[in-house]
Structures are given as C-alpha cells and as structure tokens.
Amino acid sequence: MNVKESLSQVVINTIEELYATTISQDSINIQKTRKEFEGDFTLMVFPFVKISKKNPDITAKEIGDSLKNKLDYVESFNVVKGFLNISLKHTFWLDFLQKESKNDTFGHRTPSENTSPILLEFSSPNTNKPLHLGHIRNNLLGDAIARILTANGKNVIRLNLVNDRGIHICKSMLMHQKHFANETPQSTNTKGDKLVGKYYVAFDKQYKNEIEQLAESGIPKDVAEKKAPILLEAQEMLRKWEDEDKAVRVLWQTMNQWVYQGFDLTYKRLGIHFDKTYYESDTYLLGKKIIEEGLKKHVFYQHEDGSIRIDLQADGLDEKILLRADGTSVYITQDIGNAVLRYEEYQPSQLVYVVGNEQNYHFDVLRLILAKKLAYPWANRLFHLSYGMVELPSGKMKSREGTVVDADDLMDEMVAMAKQKTEELGKTTFSDAEIDELSETIGLGALKYFILKVDPKKNILFNPDESIDLNGNTAPFIQYTYARICSLLRKSTEASLPLTTVDISRQDTEKEILRLLYAYPETIETASEDLNPSLIANYIYELVKVYNRFYQETPILKEENQALRLFRLHLSAFTARTVSDAMSLLGINMPERM
RNA sequence: GGUUCCGUAGCUCAGCUGGAUAGAGCAACUGCCUUCUAAGCAGUAGGUCAUGCGUUCGAAUCGCAUCGGAAUCACCA
C-alpha cells in the first residue's frame, strides 16, 4: 500500500470516528503538495466541511491531528485555508530511497503470462509508398504503448496488418510495367519502398494528365476521373490479381518484397518490431461469411442493386455498405472478419487499434455493428486509439502530391543535426564511431520525444524549416542529464557503498526529487490505463528539470559530509535509473557520455 | 448540414477524474563556466485559459450556447 492509499484509508476511518459518517474513497483527493507550501502531500478538506459542520480550518486540523496520531510516518501538518498539507518524516523518504533504488523493476508490475492478452495493432502500412512522418507517429505510439502496457504487467501482442493488395498497389505495379520495367532496387540503388513510391507518384501524374486531356475534349470532370485509360488499366490489373493471374501475381510478389525490405530498414532504425504480421491478401475475404450469416438473420438487408447494407440511422449514423453488388468486400467487412479472427485466436481482454482520427467514424461503425447488430459480447473490448494528424505549415501531408516528410530522410536529418551539434560543442573525446553512435541516439531520441510528448489525440504541427529542437523540453536535454549522472558515478569511488543514516529534513530539493520518483509507479499505471505515452514524457521532463536544478546548486561528490554525499549519490543513481527506464518505455536510448 | 475532436503567452506545448497565485520550452533581454559535463542553471518580460451563460464553497478543467479550426459522413483504405 502506498502513502496515498494508506492516508486515504485513515482519512475514511477518521471521518467515521469524528463525524459518524462513512465516505467513499472517491471523495478523497490527495495530491503532491505544491512547491510553494510546506509539506509532501495535501488533502482537500472542502468536501468534508458539510459532514463535519465546522469550518475548513478546524476540520483540517481535526483530521490532521488524527493522521499524525495514527500514522507513525506523519511528522507534522499545516493548514492553509482548506488545504491540509502533510509532512512525512524524513526517514520515510530515506527508507524509500534505500529500498527502491536497489529495485531493478521499480515502477513495473511483473508480467502476468496467464492473463488474456491485449492485442495491439499498429503501423499497418500500405505497400505502395514509403513511410512518412505520419506513419512515424503511428509506429512510435504503438511501440511506446506496447512497452508501457508491458511495464504495467500486461501481456501485449503487437500486431501489424499489412495492406498488401488493392488498387493502389496495382497503380505502382502498372507504372513499373509500362515505364520502368528494367528497374530494380539494386539496379537503381534505391530503397525498395522508395522505388515503388516513385511509381505511385508517377501514376498520379499521368492520371491527372489524362483527366485534363479528357476534360479538354469536352468530357465532364467526374466522368473523366472514372474513365481515364490509365485508371481502367489499373482496375483491369486488380481484376487479374483477384483471378490469380500468374504474371500479375509474380510482379506483385516481387514488388511487395522490395517494399518489405525497405520497411524493414525503417522499422529497424526506429526500433519497432511485431509479434505477428497479418497480410491483407490473406485476410481480405474474412468478413464475407459473417455478413452472409447476418443477412440470413435479417441483421443486414440486400439493397435493390444487390449490395448488402446496414441501416445505422437509429444509432445516429448512416447507411453503410457491407458487401458490394458483385459480392466483393469493403474495408469494414474485412475489419469485422479480422476482429472475429483475432478474438477467436487469442481471446484478448482488449483489442486496441492505433489508427489516425480520420477513421473515427469507421471505428464507431465497426464497434456498433459488432456489438449491437452481431451481438458479440466482446465487442466492447475494441478500443480505437485515435491519434491526431501530423500537419505541415501548408496543411496535411499527401503522398500522392509528394508533400510528405519522408521517414528515412527525417531520421537522417535528425542524426546529422545531432552530429553537427556535437561537433560544434567541441566534444573531442569521442572516436568517429562513437560520434556516429551518439548522434544516432540523440537524433532519433529527439525525434521520438518530439512526437511522443504530445497528447496523442492532438494534431502535431511540424515545421520542416524549424525542424526539431535539441534544447529545452527535448530528449537531448534528458539524455544530457543522464550522461552527467553517469559521469558522477564513474568518478565516485563510493557509488557502491550503502546509504547511511542522515538527516535530510532540510534538503528540500532532494525531497522534491524523491517525491517525484515516488510518483513513477502511478505514472506508469495511468499512462497504461490511458494508453498515453505523453504522460511518461511529461513526467520525465519534470523529474529531470528538478534534478538539474539540484545538480547545479548542490555539491554531490564535493559534499564534505560523507553521509550526505552518499545520500546524494544514491539519489542521483536512482534518478538516472528511473529516467533511463522511463525513456526506454518511449523507445529512447540513453548515452552514458555525451 | 449531422457527428466527433481541438481552441491556454508571439510560436510549440503542459496543466483537464473540479482545488491554492495558470506552468514549461522556443524566440527576446540579463546574469552564472579557475569548482561534479554550460546540450546546463538562475532571472526579466510576455495571459480576458476563444466568447457568453450556468452548476459549485471553488471552473482553464464539468454542462449548455455561440464563434473559429480540423476530421468525417465512399461500393478508398
């Protein structure tokens, strides 16, 4: 039981004794004392004044007296208006440091293998174009959430669903066949996904030209968009693919392999991996049977044009197509099938989808159909982790128009910036190889932190001209703090000596650091429950900021009192470990020197 | 038009299960390296928390309305 819990329990008992009223846990609000007041934790007593029928100050004092009596670690308290500020004995904090600084899994829950897993789908790329900054956000969020859930003791299975078939892939294939048939990644010395992406852009260019030409010959634009010869050819190619035409399938296999080889490099550099990868070409027929069964049960109905539909107007949504008139499936059909497949395969406690907020409506429909129409009792376990778009000053990124920030280019740029900065600062004690490794750690760290520190549901504005900062609330700032502590520990000859008794009752900054460290487990818990890595990032920043103030203002190795010196050393080591652990939950590495 | 999300300092963001005087970073200005790594620290300046009404002892936080922005309402994924 942690302090807040035991304080809460005693408050409940006290209110019962003093005022003969039973209150619930929910009505108790205890938080970290604000730094301008004295104390460690603060209880709001306003909710109890109606019960006590006394003014807030008297009520606070009565509760404070009781807490002090009943809990031996409560040192004192003060009352400011209706706020009861509770100070713990300094030995409480020393004990905490002593115990947890040796605990390698501080803040983590031990993983429970036997519980039903959480399925976490993320990334889910199309194979017709390379990954861009928007995909980076998706991948980083998915990866960080997987790590955070695991730290909170959950059994997480990372899923990727690769969209490897469809008209968009045919567009790239067609352009390759028509204009670039001799090209391979090797022959052009190009990353496979980049090469295929080039064809996709080329298709769009030709398509637009054809529409324009048709329009000039007097054909209305909306008709031209459907009749452009190049589009018809792509559609024909998709039909051949579905008929398993050998030549088309071979080309498709070949080009997808190119893309996968490219993606693998990008994933590897980002530090992303999956436990299982599904391919849409294997699963795209999945939902059809369920729809047909639903039709028999009159959950769905057949429209006069032959398509199968569902009317969701009673639930505030619209009519939705589930199967086309020709019997082929649409996206929602596949997702219904996928969800059922996954449920049957894993019996998950949750199915989380990391997908952009542009698909909010889609997931509303999906959950509604699964829950209300198909009556799957597990449908409420579906959770759409909806994140905001990454926008440029010019607006949304569009692959087809080439207005994207390419994932690989951005990583290169960040690493180059880190390297330049390192050289500017005159870090001369590193070998070339060490500089490269350090630049990778710093550059990628800066990128990841930049993305993950923002609340997932908010849009991110990325200005390529300003790029990503390396100062202030950034990963390099945090990494630097870590490296400085590592340096202290390397220099000290006492780092392995045990903590000894020391009076820290007046060490306010140190106690503030300890209070923050104490909050690490609950931070992981909240981030896990909310599926929100930004809570971890903000926590780290707060901790590091206070530590830096301490580092700057207070002698550590140079402290003459050995007991105090050891205390500060242990505190520093514990901070470094916790910061590093928290950063690892964001997938960010830490350098021991920088 | 319907639905959902967003609106906090010049810019980028914290703070939101209601709590004390709304915080950081960037940009600007001022100090601090003969002392543990200055990728740092301290300070100055910058706010009608979009607006209005309501609920409450207490509202940036909750509710309603209005205004602004985004997404979506596909036989695309």
Side-chain angles (χ1 to χ4, degrees):
Chain A
M1 193 146 67
N2 67 31
V3 175
K4 277 194 199 175
E5 285 161 359
S6 66
L7 284 171
S8 297
Q9 192 51 54
V10 174
V11 171
I12 291 172
N13 297 344
T14 297
I15 300 242
E16 179 113 43
E17 286 163 23
L18 292 176
Y19 313 126
T21 306
T22 307
I23 57 164
S24 70
Q25 189 83 35
D26 302 342
S27 56
I28 294 178
N29 184 351
I30 294 174
Q31 46 198 241
K32 204 161 71 70
T33 302
R34 293 178 61 127
K35 59 173 177 282
E36 56 266 42
F37 299 96
E38 193 188 329
D40 295 307
F41 294 96
T42 296
L43 172 76
M44 307 300 153
V45 299
F46 296 103
F48 312 133
V49 297
K50 275 186 189 154
I51 297 168
S52 71
K53 300 192 176 68
K54 294 171 184 171
N55 76 42
D57 281 7
I58 294 174
T59 309
K61 186 168 183 315
E62 288 180 349
I63 295 171
D65 280 330
S66 169
L67 287 173
K68 198 180 159 195
N69 265 323
K70 290 180 175 168
L71 291 166
D72 55 6
Y73 57 75
V74 173
E75 168 79 24
S76 62
F77 66 90
N78 66 79
V79 179
V80 181
K81 292 188 254 173
F83 299 88
L84 174 61
N85 301 318
I86 301 156
S87 297
L88 306 189
K89 289 187 174 153
H90 75 272
T91 50
F92 172 88
W93 294 114
L94 266 188
D95 289 346
F96 164 67
L97 174 61
Q98 177 139 36
K99 182 159 162 262
E100 298 297 351
S101 63
K102 287 184 211 140
N103 175 0
D104 283 336
T105 57
F106 172 60
H108 291 237
R109 289 222 170 89
T110 40
S112 37
E113 290 292 329
N114 298 326
T115 57
S116 58
I118 295 176
L119 301 188
L120 180 69
E121 180 193 307
F122 64 102
S123 200
S124 305
N126 292 349
T127 58
N128 63 324
K129 52 182 184 252
L131 304 178
H132 60 61
L133 182 51
H135 299 113
I136 290 187
R137 188 176 198 190
N138 181 303
N139 283 295
L140 293 180
L141 276 172
D143 180 62
I145 287 166
R147 292 166 187 264
I148 291 164
L149 287 169
T150 305
N152 198 32
K154 307 295 182 189
N155 174 12
V156 181
I157 297 176
R158 301 152 165 258
L159 304 180
N160 193 0
L161 173 59
V162 179
N163 181 11
D164 62 344
R165 47 138 258 132
I167 187 73
H168 40 293
I169 285 101
C170 290
K171 290 176 180 174
S172 289
M173 286 159 60
L174 185 64
M175 289 316 273
H176 172 79
Q177 204 176 48
K178 288 175 85 82
H179 303 300
F180 305 98
N182 295 324
E183 287 188 357
T184 67
Q186 288 74 27
S187 77
T188 55
N189 196 21
T190 308
K191 219 165 144 267
D193 52 332
K194 295 284 195 307
L195 194 63
V196 172
K198 182 180 95 174
Y199 304 150
Y200 188 67
V201 173
F203 177 94
D204 198 58
K205 199 175 161 196
Q206 181 167 342
Y207 177 52
K208 287 207 169 110
N209 282 342
E210 289 184 2
I211 292 171
E212 212 169 296
Q213 282 171 16
L214 289 173
E216 278 169 18
S217 64
I219 295 171
K221 200 172 179 204
D222 56 331
V223 177
E225 279 170 0
K226 287 178 183 155
K227 295 289 176 197
I230 194 77
L231 180 68
L232 297 178
E233 262 188 275
Q235 285 168 342
E236 175 57 23
M237 192 178 233
L238 180 60
R239 266 189 295 278
K240 283 186 177 171
W241 183 90
E242 291 190 351
D243 291 343
E244 305 199 27
D245 176 284
K246 205 154 190 187
V248 170
R249 287 285 178 137
V250 167
L251 178 62
W252 173 72
Q253 287 280 4
T254 305
M255 288 181 59
N256 270 342
Q257 284 312 314
W258 294 350
V259 172
Y260 298 146
Q261 283 162 14
F263 282 176
D264 281 349
L265 291 173
T266 308
Y267 282 141
K268 195 171 175 199
R269 197 172 187 193
L270 276 173
I272 309 282
H273 69 276
F274 299 93
D275 300 311
K276 174 142 188 177
T277 300
Y278 292 104
Y279 295 92
E280 211 187 279
S281 53
D282 295 328
T283 64
Y284 79 107
L285 298 173
L286 268 178
K288 287 174 75 165
K289 229 167 75 186
I290 297 164
I291 303 303
E292 281 154 14
E293 283 165 15
L295 183 64
K296 280 182 204 151
K297 292 182 199 156
H298 304 290
V299 175
F300 313 126
Y301 66 91
Q302 190 148 27
H303 191 261
E304 55 191 20
D305 67 5
S307 61
I308 295 174
R309 305 184 176 195
I310 184 168
D311 186 352
L312 299 169
Q313 290 183 61
D315 294 284
L317 305 175
D318 297 312
E319 186 180 60
K320 186 85 185 171
I321 286 250
L322 298 170
L323 280 181
R324 296 186 184 104
D326 64 4
T328 58
S329 57
V330 294
Y331 183 43
I332 193 97
T333 321
Q334 298 172 38
D335 262 352
I336 291 169
N338 270 313
V340 172
L341 172 75
R342 289 175 197 183
Y343 180 75
E344 287 171 353
E345 207 168 333
Y346 294 102
Q347 258 96 62
S349 59
Q350 275 188 76
L351 297 95
V352 180
Y353 297 77
V354 182
V355 177
N357 62 13
E358 55 198 353
Q359 291 187 36
N360 285 353
Y361 180 75
H362 170 77
F363 279 95
D364 287 346
V365 171
L366 178 63
R367 205 176 316 102
L368 188 64
I369 291 176
L370 287 169
K372 280 185 83 167
K373 303 301 172 181
L374 295 171
Y376 289 111
W378 47 266
N380 59 4
R381 299 183 197 174
L382 254 72
F383 183 79
H384 172 205
L385 186 97
S386 163
Y387 63 88
M389 299 289 100
V390 180
E391 292 178 330
L392 303 172
S394 55
K396 205 179 155 182
M397 291 189 278
K398 296 210 171 73
S399 293
R400 270 179 293 189
E401 294 166 19
T403 58
V404 292
V405 176
D406 179 78
D408 299 312
D409 293 350
L410 182 59
M411 285 192 275
D412 284 343
E413 199 181 300
M414 292 306 301
V415 171
M417 265 174 61
K419 186 167 179 175
Q420 189 193 340
K421 184 84 185 264
T422 304
E423 281 160 0
E424 273 170 19
L425 290 168
K427 308 274 181 180
T428 51
T429 61
F430 294 98
S431 69
D432 287 354
E434 282 169 334
I435 292 257
D436 286 342
E437 193 192 334
L438 182 63
S439 305
E440 188 81 9
T441 302
I442 294 171
L444 287 182
L447 172 60
K448 291 181 179 183
Y449 188 86
F450 174 79
I451 298 287
L452 289 173
K453 76 174 177 186
V454 180
D455 187 328
K457 68 171 182 267
K458 291 195 176 176
N459 288 356
I460 289 181
L461 181 72
F462 175 78
N463 187 340
D465 295 334
E466 293 170 11
S467 198
I468 296 172
D469 239 300
L470 301 178
N471 298 315
N473 186 1
T474 65
F477 168 79
I478 295 160
Q479 290 168 324
Y480 182 66
T481 305
Y482 176 79
R484 287 205 297 199
I485 299 177
C486 289
S487 170
L488 280 182
L489 297 175
R490 276 193 303 270
K491 284 188 174 151
S492 171
T493 53
E494 302 174 315
S496 56
L497 294 182
L499 206 54
T500 53
T501 305
V502 56
D503 184 356
I504 57 161
S505 47
R506 295 164 62 102
Q507 311 303 327
D508 289 336
T509 308
E510 285 98 316
K511 278 199 287 182
E512 200 179 333
I513 294 168
L514 284 165
R515 282 195 291 269
L516 280 165
L517 290 166
Y518 192 83
Y520 185 50
E522 66 192 63
T523 304
I524 292 182
E525 195 181 335
T526 311
S528 165
E529 283 163 3
D530 295 356
L531 303 174
N532 186 351
S534 76
L535 299 177
I536 300 285
N538 291 326
Y539 168 81
I540 299 167
Y541 182 59
E542 201 182 344
L543 175 59
V544 164
K545 229 174 7 158
V546 178
Y547 181 85
N548 270 335
R549 192 176 75 220
F550 161 71
Y551 177 93
Q552 204 89 20
E553 290 174 353
T554 320
I556 300 168
L557 299 180
K558 297 193 168 159
E559 169 58 44
E560 291 181 1
N561 176 324
Q562 192 199 27
L564 198 52
R565 188 166 68 235
L566 284 175
F567 163 70
R568 288 177 180 160
L569 213 49
H570 277 82
L571 179 67
S572 298
F574 188 26
T575 302
R577 255 230 357 259
T578 304
V579 167
S580 170
D581 186 76
M583 287 291 264
S584 79
L585 297 182
L586 305 180
I588 299 173
N589 296 324
M590 299 292 265
E592 302 207 341
R593 293 166 58 218
M594 76 182 267

